[in-house]
């Protein structure tokens, strides 16, 4: 059975809280043997999630990049160069079993959350503002985590719902 893919999305210029949450969540996801998927760039939440994952031996990070030839962060193991610009957000979402937004601090993250909701993917908001929560409450069902540890527990629950108890969760 394949390893679960957890999309960790967020701003390229995040708050310190969102950066720290992405770093911790990347590590927690990797500790469970899950694949960390990000936008792959060496910036913000993308860089933090991959750096957190690479603290764990044997971890695997996947970066879905907007460009055609380069631009991946140093902690990306597998770089997919889409040449699609921001349209690559659809690939991020559709390739993820669960999508976690570490803060919702920019339009790219909003688009990824919206695409995930539209696709019926489990979405977890981690550190989202009251305005972001209010907006997304009007357009779909999502889950909220108070911190990275709670997000990891919710991901585990969602994976069991998606694939049953046989799905690898740790």
């Amino acid at each position: 059975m394949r390893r679960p893919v957890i999309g960790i999305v967020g701003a390229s210029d995040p708050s310190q809280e969102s950066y720290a949450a992405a770093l911790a969540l990347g590590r927690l996801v990797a500790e469970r043997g899950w694949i960390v998927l990000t936008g792959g760039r060496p910036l913000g939440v993308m860089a933090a999630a991959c750096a957190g994952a690479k603290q764990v031996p044997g971890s695997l990070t996947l970066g879905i990049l907007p460009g055609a030839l380069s631009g991946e962060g140093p902690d990306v193991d597998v770089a997919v160069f889409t040449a699609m610009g921001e349209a690559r957000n659809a690939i991020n979402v559709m390739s993820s079993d669960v999508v976690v937004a570490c803060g919702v601090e920019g339009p790219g993250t909003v688009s990824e959350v919206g695409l995930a909701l539209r696709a019926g993917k489990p979405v977890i908001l981690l550190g989202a503002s009251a305005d972001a929560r209010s907006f997304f409450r009007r357009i779909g069902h999502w889950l909220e985590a108070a911190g990275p540890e709670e997000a990891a527990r919710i991901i585990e629950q969602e994976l069991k719902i998606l694939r049953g108890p046989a799905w690898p969760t740790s």
Side-chain angles (χ1 to χ4, degrees):
M1 182 177 293
R2 75 170 176 82
R3 293 164 61 182
V5 177
I6 310 305
I8 302 176
V9 302
S12 59
D13 186 20
S15 66
Q16 290 180 342
E17 295 80 13
S18 294
Y19 185 91
L23 184 70
L25 184 59
R27 181 181 45 76
L28 291 166
V29 166
E31 285 174 350
R32 286 158 174 79
W34 305 329
I35 297 168
V36 170
L37 179 146
T38 72
R41 297 172 61 214
L43 302 167
V45 165
M46 297 172 280
C50 289
K54 295 319 294 176
Q55 295 173 0
V56 179
S59 63
L60 182 60
T61 59
L62 172 60
I64 309 297
L65 288 120
L69 298 173
S70 65
E72 74 273 15
D75 295 309
V76 171
D77 294 316
V78 179
V80 177
F81 301 100
T82 66
M84 295 176 66
E86 296 304 313
R88 66 83 149 80
N89 289 354
I91 297 170
N92 292 352
V93 166
M94 297 311 295
S95 298
S96 298
D97 295 302
V98 177
V99 175
V100 182
C102 290
V104 181
E105 300 165 324
T109 310
V110 170
S111 75
E112 287 169 313
V113 170
L115 287 167
L117 291 172
R118 176 79 173 164
K121 298 280 183 168
V123 173
I124 302 166
L125 300 184
L126 173 58
S129 69
D131 288 340
R133 292 191 314 270
S134 175
F135 172 74
F136 288 120
R137 193 170 290 118
R138 285 179 271 170
I139 63 170
H141 172 73
W142 47 268
L143 304 157
E144 185 172 7
E149 294 80 10
E150 184 179 11
R153 285 192 299 274
I154 294 170
I155 293 167
E156 191 166 329
Q157 292 168 354
E158 291 301 306
L159 291 174
K160 287 179 182 175
I161 291 168
L162 289 172
R163 304 291 182 186
W167 187 267
T169 55
S170 53

